[in-house]
């Protein structure tokens, strides 16, 4: 299954600045494994050392939070959009006037 | 039984509007001794105190700069009668603006990433009637700042934009209140000061104020160790756009704290000190404990910015 993955700003360093990438897999975990192959270091940002999705990372399949489906075992289908959204980090800075 | 027949302690006044006296209660927060976690340090002559900033009206340290920025804007004429306030926020400053707007009678527009927790959005919009404008969560706070700037540029006559990231009134609030309070509450004994960095206003202002009172006081910036982190309210400077008010010459050292360390400390603060605090408080205390491990004596003061009980329970879920 080919899906579109929306990458949050703090992870775009790994994707060469891309905010949207394509990946494939039958469920969220497989999609993340695929991302790890293309963008090494990706997985360790999302998972804790004991293999659990870090609790401040929220992943959505389209509009649905995977916590309320089957966590990273949640199935994906062709054309789905997966959004990786961290908890709110604090303020940023100066914007060009 | 009529309400007037109830004993005084059971009578609940009917509040039809917020009294301006609420604003007088901003600041002068308690300084609480960390009695149990400090035992990790053994017999060292170290005392650690937490500044309980969640006791401010609006529930966080941000009440101080929000009030100062509004008052300075009114005094300078930048914020004129009939104008509306607009600013971007990741939470606490928004709640503070919303409360102040409700009291002083101006409309408040808050631009925030849509994934700010529901509880905070509820306080801003339902309790204090602020207008919420939601930005793309993928862009975090940067997205909110950009959208806020765009809305302001499109209608500059309508809005007063305090711009907490670049407004000196932000840190001045802390120089003039937080620093003085800490100095007085410790009877001038404070030796080390710790604050997390978001806008950096707390760290900049309190450090400047304390060093003016005693040039020997050392101050420490507590920062998330990773760019992708779960310490709400704090920012990883290296991977972010730096706030205009941030000046590295103001503090002595930066201490990095991981999200897991901060979460673990939040649990310990709850279990061992009996305080429900937000993750940025946990991070700040981790920073103080790391420094404490390297020194033999000192009176350390840590800012605990908020309680956010609902966020502690949800651990970043929303």
């Amino acid at each position: 299954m080919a899906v579109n993955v929306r990458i949050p700003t703090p992870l775009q360093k790994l994707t060469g600045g891309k905010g949207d990438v394509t990946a494939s897999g039958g469920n969220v975990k497989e999609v993340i494994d695929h991302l790890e192959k293309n963008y090494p270091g990706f997985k360790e940002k999302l998972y804790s050392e004991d293999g659990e999705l870090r609790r401040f990372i929220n992943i959505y399949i389209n509009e649905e939070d995977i916590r309320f489906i089957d966590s990273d075992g949640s199935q994906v289908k062709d054309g789905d959009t997966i959004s990786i959204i961290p908890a709110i980090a604090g303020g940023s800075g100066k914007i060009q006037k | 039984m009529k309400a007037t027949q109830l004993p005084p302690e059971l009578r609940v006044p009917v509040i039809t509007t917020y009294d301006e006296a609420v604003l007088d209660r901003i600041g002068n927060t308690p300084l609480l001794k960390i009695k149990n976690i400090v035992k990790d340090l053994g017999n060292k002559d170290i005392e650690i105190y937490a500044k309980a900033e969640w006791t401010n009206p609006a529930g966080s340290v941000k009440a101080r700069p929000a009030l100062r920025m509004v008052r300075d804007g009114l005094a300078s004429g930048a914020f004129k009668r009939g104008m509306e306030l607009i600013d971007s926020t990741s939470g606490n400053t928004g709640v503070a603006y919303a409360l102040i707007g409700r009291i002083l009678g101006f409309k408040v527009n808050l631009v925030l990433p849509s994934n700010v927790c529901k509880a905070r959005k509820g306080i801003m919009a339902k309790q204090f009637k602020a207008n919420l404008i939601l930005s793309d969560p993928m862009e975090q706070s940067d997205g909110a700042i950009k959208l806020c700037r765009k809305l302001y540029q499109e209608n500059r006559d309508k809005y007063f934009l305090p711009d907490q990231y670049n407004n000196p009134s932000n840190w001045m609030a802390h120089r003039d209140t937080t620093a003085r309070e800490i100095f007085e509450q410790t009877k001038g004994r404070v030796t080390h000061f710790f604050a997390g960095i978001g806008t950096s206003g707390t760290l900049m202002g309190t450090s400047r104020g304390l060093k003016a009172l005693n040039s020997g006081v050392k101050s420490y910036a507590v920062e998330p160790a990773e760019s992708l982190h779960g310490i709400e309210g704090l920012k990883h400077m290296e991977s972010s756009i730096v706030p205009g008010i941030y000046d590295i010459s103001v503090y002595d050292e930066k201490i990095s704290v991981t999200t897991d360390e901060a979460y673990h400390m939040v649990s310990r603060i709850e279990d061992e000190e009996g305080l429900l605090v937000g993750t940025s408080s946990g991070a700040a205390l981790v920073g103080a404990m790391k420094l404490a491990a390297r020194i033999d004596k000192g009176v350390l003061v840590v800012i605990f910015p908020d309680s956010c009980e609902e966020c502690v329970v949800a651990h970043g879920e929303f």
Side-chain angles (χ1 to χ4, degrees):
Chain A
M1 307 291 170
V3 296
N4 175 49
V5 185
R6 297 193 70 202
I7 309 294
T9 313
L11 283 180
Q12 289 177 13
K13 223 179 199 176
L14 294 172
T15 60
K18 283 187 235 167
D20 286 271
V21 299
T22 51
S24 59
N27 60 32
V28 171
K29 188 173 182 305
E30 289 173 13
V31 169
I32 293 169
D33 285 341
H34 189 224
L35 288 169
E36 172 66 23
K37 262 188 212 160
N38 290 340
Y39 310 107
F42 204 91
K43 199 169 177 177
E44 68 175 25
K45 301 280 187 191
L46 305 185
Y47 286 87
S48 60
E49 282 170 9
D50 56 11
E52 294 292 316
L53 261 180
R54 301 182 80 178
R55 55 192 177 188
F56 61 92
I57 300 290
N58 302 278
I59 299 181
Y60 289 77
I61 299 173
N62 302 319
E63 300 296 317
E64 280 203 74
D65 188 336
I66 63 167
R67 280 198 178 85
F68 302 111
I69 314 173
D70 187 19
S71 190
D72 60 0
S74 303
Q75 304 285 311
V76 299
K77 51 185 195 307
D78 249 349
D80 276 347
T81 293
I82 302 204
S83 303
I84 300 167
I85 305 180
I88 293 299
S92 186
K94 196 180 272 178
I95 294 295
Q96 297 300 317
K97 292 189 181 182
Chain B
M1 185 185 278
K2 288 181 183 174
T4 49
Q5 294 172 313
L6 290 169
E9 64 272 21
L10 293 181
R11 288 180 206 157
V12 180
V14 177
I15 300 173
T16 53
T17 185
Y18 293 89
D19 192 313
E20 202 167 327
V22 170
L23 300 181
D24 297 335
R25 302 197 58 159
I26 292 175
N28 292 312
T29 53
L31 194 67
L32 308 176
K33 189 166 190 176
I34 300 297
K35 290 183 173 174
N36 297 308
I37 293 170
V38 76
K39 289 175 187 163
D40 289 6
L41 301 167
N43 291 323
K44 286 184 177 183
D45 185 14
I46 290 176
E47 298 163 45
I48 300 182
Y49 295 89
K51 190 78 168 138
E53 288 298 293
W54 69 88
T55 63
N56 280 303
S60 84
V61 65
K62 293 295 194 174
R64 297 174 190 261
L67 181 62
R68 176 70 178 257
M69 289 187 286
V70 166
R71 282 187 169 156
D72 287 356
L74 292 168
S76 72
F79 193 6
K80 297 184 184 70
R81 185 171 287 278
M83 290 172 90
E84 299 178 9
L85 184 147
I86 190 168
D87 212 346
S88 55
T89 170
S90 56
N92 283 332
T93 311
V95 177
Y97 283 144
L99 171 69
I100 295 165
R102 192 93 170 115
I103 291 171
L104 297 183
F106 56 81
K107 188 171 175 186
V108 173
N109 303 277
L110 302 169
V111 188
L112 61 163
S114 60
N115 56 328
V116 164
C117 69
K118 281 178 187 165
R120 277 198 182 142
K121 284 189 283 202
I123 294 169
M124 295 179 215
K126 293 240 168 72
Q127 189 174 349
F128 297 141
K129 315 295 182 199
N131 177 39
L132 304 191
I133 301 158
L134 303 179
S135 61
D136 185 351
M138 307 302 288
E139 293 186 54
Q140 300 264 69
S141 300
D142 281 352
I145 289 173
K146 287 176 194 162
L147 178 59
C148 177
R149 177 67 64 183
K150 179 174 171 283
L151 294 169
Y152 171 70
Q153 293 292 5
E154 285 170 0
N155 214 336
R156 294 180 72 130
D157 294 336
K158 179 181 177 185
Y159 295 124
F160 167 61
L161 173 65
D163 192 3
Q164 57 168 333
Y165 304 100
N166 300 298
N167 187 337
S169 299
N170 178 346
W171 64 261
M172 286 177 185
H174 295 289
R175 178 195 63 187
D176 297 343
T177 65
T178 319
R180 178 185 48 75
E181 290 167 29
I182 289 170
F183 198 75
E184 287 172 2
Q185 286 169 313
T186 59
K187 298 185 168 56
R189 296 169 60 242
V190 56
T191 56
H192 301 76
F193 171 72
F194 302 81
I197 32 178
T199 68
S200 77
T202 309
L203 179 73
M204 295 294 114
T206 313
S207 299
R208 285 186 173 114
L210 285 173
K211 286 170 183 284
L213 292 162
N214 174 2
S215 59
V217 175
K218 304 267 189 205
S219 79
Y220 298 84
V222 176
E223 183 188 59
E226 314 128 306
S227 58
L228 186 71
H229 65 88
I231 308 175
E232 293 212 1
L234 302 197
K235 65 183 292 191
H236 180 254
M237 283 292 174
E238 216 177 279
S239 61
S240 312
I241 312 163
V242 177
I245 60 171
Y246 179 65
D247 178 352
I248 57 167
S249 71
V250 172
Y251 61 87
D252 295 273
E253 192 183 322
K254 193 188 278 184
I255 300 175
S256 293
V257 174
T258 67
T259 300
D260 290 339
E261 287 174 325
Y263 281 175
H264 178 62
M265 186 58 87
V266 166
S267 298
R268 287 195 65 188
I269 294 168
E270 183 180 342
D271 293 343
E272 298 175 43
E273 307 293 336
L275 304 171
L276 283 171
V277 294
T279 49
S280 57
S281 303
L285 186 54
V286 171
M289 291 295 285
K290 285 185 177 182
L291 190 277
R294 288 194 255 139
I295 60 175
D296 293 322
K297 63 182 294 188
V299 176
L300 284 54
V301 175
V302 184
I303 296 288
F304 278 9
D306 62 24
S307 66
C308 197
E309 293 173 18
E310 70 282 357
C311 298
V312 174
V313 172
H315 286 303
E317 293 172 29
F318 53 88

